[in-house]
Amino acid sequence: MKNISNKIILIVIGLIISMAAIYSGCNQSKGTLSGNEAEQVYVAPGNYDDFYLFASGGFNGQIGVYGLPSGRHFKTISVFAQNPETGYGYSEETKEMLNTSYGFIPWDDAHHPELSMTDGIPDGRFIFINGNNTPRVAKIDLKEFETMEIIEIPNSAGNHASPFVTENTEYIIAATRFSVPIPQSDVPISSYKENFKGTMSFIKLDPKTEKMNLEFQIIVPGFDYDLAHAGKGPSHDWAFFTSYNSEQANSLLEINASKNDKDFIAAVNWKKAEQYFKEGKAKTYPAEYYRNYIDEKTHIAVSEKNNQVKVLDPKDCPGMIYYLPTPKSPHGVDVDPTGEYIVAGGKLATVIPVHSFKKMLKAIEEKQFDGEVGGIPILKYDAVVAGEVQNPGLGPLHTEFDGNGYAYTSAFISSEIVKWKLGTWEVVDRIPVYYSIGHLCIPGGDSKKPYGKYVIALNKITKDRYLPTGPEITQSAQLIDISGEKMKMLLDFPTVGEPHYAQAIPTELIMKNSKKFYPIEENFNPNAVKSEKDSRVERKGNEIHVYMTAMRSHFSPDNIEGIKLGDIVYFHVTNLEQDWDVPHGFTVKGNNNSELLIMPGQTRTITWIPKKTGIYPFYCTDFCSALHQEMQGYIRVSPANSNVELAFSLGK
Amino acid sequence: MKNKTKLYSLKLFLILMPIVLFTIVSCGNNDGQDPSKFSGTKKNDVANDISAFELENGFGPVKQKIELGPIDPKLVKQGQTIFETKCAACHKLDEKYVGPAQRDVIKRRTPEYILNFMLNPEENYQKHPEAKKMLAQYLTQMPNQNISIDEAKAVLDYFRKVAEEK
Ligand SMILES: [Cu+2]
């Protein structure tokens, strides 16, 4: 009896203690380092993430959209790559987006997503991304998460140092990785030193129309320009570009471009360049390039061909550009939130050199030059360097900032992130990442006001981190908590494509503007049908135009006859729904084109050339309602010489 | 004796268990997210009780009887355009289509019910017995076509007009 009541007391005490433990445990779990990692990344069913993460898909030419901290994947935005899932780049309304001076190009290598900024802070209007291979810059509207404009960059090859925006998105800047003859010409490759040049391009974003225009280019010595960042605050007028291969080698670069002790960061006073451009100092070069954009009214892509570009030569423009010597083939160049420090990552360097903007201005004023290249003065290293971070890991590449005085640098060779203090240059923490990190991302980490909280490692290699899937294994990113003194690994998450670089922005800046559907009244596609009674089929010579409507759960018309071999059939499908999350799909048997995904209120067109006679079913591919399986129809294709009348109907 | 103690500890267990559970559950809400901001974004609480007004006039922005003036020909025209674009893929005037024939909808339902149903079909499907019955009959959920209340009133005048025409 006594034993038993003792037991009861023990149970009671035990329960109280465990309650206390649970309770205190839950107080601590809010973002502190003592909580457990699973809780920090868990977003309960039906709840939202805190940040959007936009990660490039690298060589898939797209952008992946994820949530943080969960790492969940929400959408893949088609940019430079055709997407048969939606019809992007296949439909008549979108295929012009992929036109270039080399013809239609359905793919590119997309590297650096860059959020538009106002006053040095991401504003959630647009995200830009570069096409590396066939030089292009794309603008994606973040109300729709759709690519709205793509501009080709002439006089460029390997558009890698791109796109980076100035403090108020006045310009989107882009420079060439590969130097080439400018303008292009048929010369021996061995004449590199004589004939090959680089360019820096300044794409202006019109503040009213928000359209991109290649305002001017600067022609520069034939180095490889690798990355860039615009200044901010005091350095607002400037932009910085790293370069390697100052040796100007044209073969076996891994040896021949690694000889010089120092290469350069090019500091460009873009305000001054703009002024020279306005004064008419630029020469007109012939150049063929396209600008493709989605027309606001019709929502149809329009291609515009340009034939010339304005080019500034540093020789004619004193004070516009300087070279800052920087050790060993620098890769990233990152400007701290105050705009004072310019951090370089040297692939082969053993230190991270940090230049001072103030010192740079002073050195320019005092003409502390160490010779010049191609009319560009070289500043003395000691006159511009603010400090060097010792022991930064092997192969330091890129740096982002937390807004609390710390910088985080990725080290590719030693696979780690190194945290160091601005001003004292001392390394205070390091964390291994898996494996071979390239870029890294802190939300707002390249802006004037970083949000901090996390750093995301964008890795090149995953090796043994995930279940194997044959020789090709997943690409991946890692989420690391930086809210405490020590970095803490929280999560591995696979990505669609290589997450070459990424930017993150708080959810509320995007979510409130997100478009839910396209108002049908504002659909000015000339092939739109705004009422089911106007749906019809017309013949124009050997073209058949089907003006079709889609509404849960039928197409109108859904029986079509009188199509003959040799006809080209255009399906113009208008989705009459006016609610969120009710796209319809459209496809027809044996179509050599893609399917169509039509958002509510939108019109999309796909072409089909039937090759055999017979009956062809078509149907809705996107599960839209309980009677989705009923959303179908038939088309009859007759021989070329048949006299079957053109006819269409619904419900007959 | 032994039995009594057992009972006693069972009672104690029953008293303490809810407290422990409560602590655990309240902890579950605290998972690093700001619940005030990012939870409760999905609402699906279904109320069972329904007032006499709601029974007659449905759920939605119209919460009182409205005064119907004379039919406004301008509104009728606007209402017809809206109906043909956003509704006619499912409704005809004189025959059953995806949804019911609408020429005499104004005789079947109150103006307030028609407005509420056009503007807020989702909630009516969840809560209104008549809407549930219709759904069972037609099997297709009427979509929210996101028309404004003024547009809905124009469609209402169109319905009133076509009802007169027969
Ligand atoms: Cu469908």
Side-chain angles (χ1 to χ4, degrees), chain A residues 4 8 12 15 26 46-48 50 517 520-521 530-533 551-552 554 576-579 627 650, chain B residues 5 8 12 16 19 24 27 30-31 33 38-39 41 84-86 89-90 97-98 140 143-146:
Chain A
I4 291 168
I8 293 170
V12 173
L15 280 172
C26 77
N47 284 22
Y48 295 137
D50 294 336
F517 60 86
I520 187 84
E521 300 81 9
K530 296 198 185 178
S531 172
E532 191 172 294
K533 71 176 180 2
M551 172 66 90
R552 275 168 275 188
H554 61 275
L576 289 176
E577 308 270 357
Q578 290 289 278
D579 200 5
L627 299 178
L650 168 72
Chain B
T5 332
Y8 178 55
L12 200 74
L16 284 172
I19 303 177
I24 296 172
C27 190
N30 251 342
D31 50 15
Q33 290 278 310
F38 286 126
S39 61
T41 43
E84 279 169 2
T85 303
K86 298 187 179 179
C90 295
Y97 197 36
V98 179
T140 294
N144 189 333
Q145 286 288 66
N146 281 293

Side-chain angles (χ1 to χ4, degrees), chain A residues 583-585 620 622-625 628 631:
Chain A
H584 288 290
C620 171
D622 190 346
F623 209 108
C624 56
S625 67
H628 163 75
M631 197 160 174

Side-chain angles (χ1 to χ4, degrees), chain A residues 260-291:
Chain A
N260 289 353
D261 197 37
K262 294 198 172 61
D263 296 277
F264 300 113
I265 285 177
V268 177
N269 186 330
W270 61 263
K271 270 282 184 195
K272 201 158 242 174
E274 187 181 54
Q275 188 193 324
Y276 282 131
F277 164 72
K278 284 183 183 154
E279 286 167 8
K281 286 265 161 62
K283 293 198 181 90
T284 304
Y285 278 49
E288 210 191 0
Y289 64 102
Y290 275 75
R291 183 175 80 89

Side-chain angles (χ1 to χ4, degrees), chain A residues 336-402:
Chain A
D336 88 308
T338 69
E340 160 63 8
Y341 294 122
I342 302 138
V343 180
K347 294 185 287 272
L348 308 172
T350 51
V351 298
I352 302 171
V354 182
H355 296 302
S356 155
F357 180 68
K358 270 194 216 121
K359 283 182 80 173
M360 184 192 93
L361 289 186
K362 190 151 171 274
I364 291 171
E365 206 184 294
E366 294 171 356
K367 298 205 159 43
Q368 303 226 33
F369 300 148
D370 216 350
E372 62 155 66
V373 207
I376 301 170
I378 301 170
L379 294 165
K380 288 199 172 110
Y381 181 68
D382 290 334
V384 292
V385 77
E388 289 177 343
V389 180
Q390 303 293 327
N391 263 323
L394 300 174
L397 293 186
H398 303 282
T399 302
E400 296 227 333
F401 308 90
D402 68 1

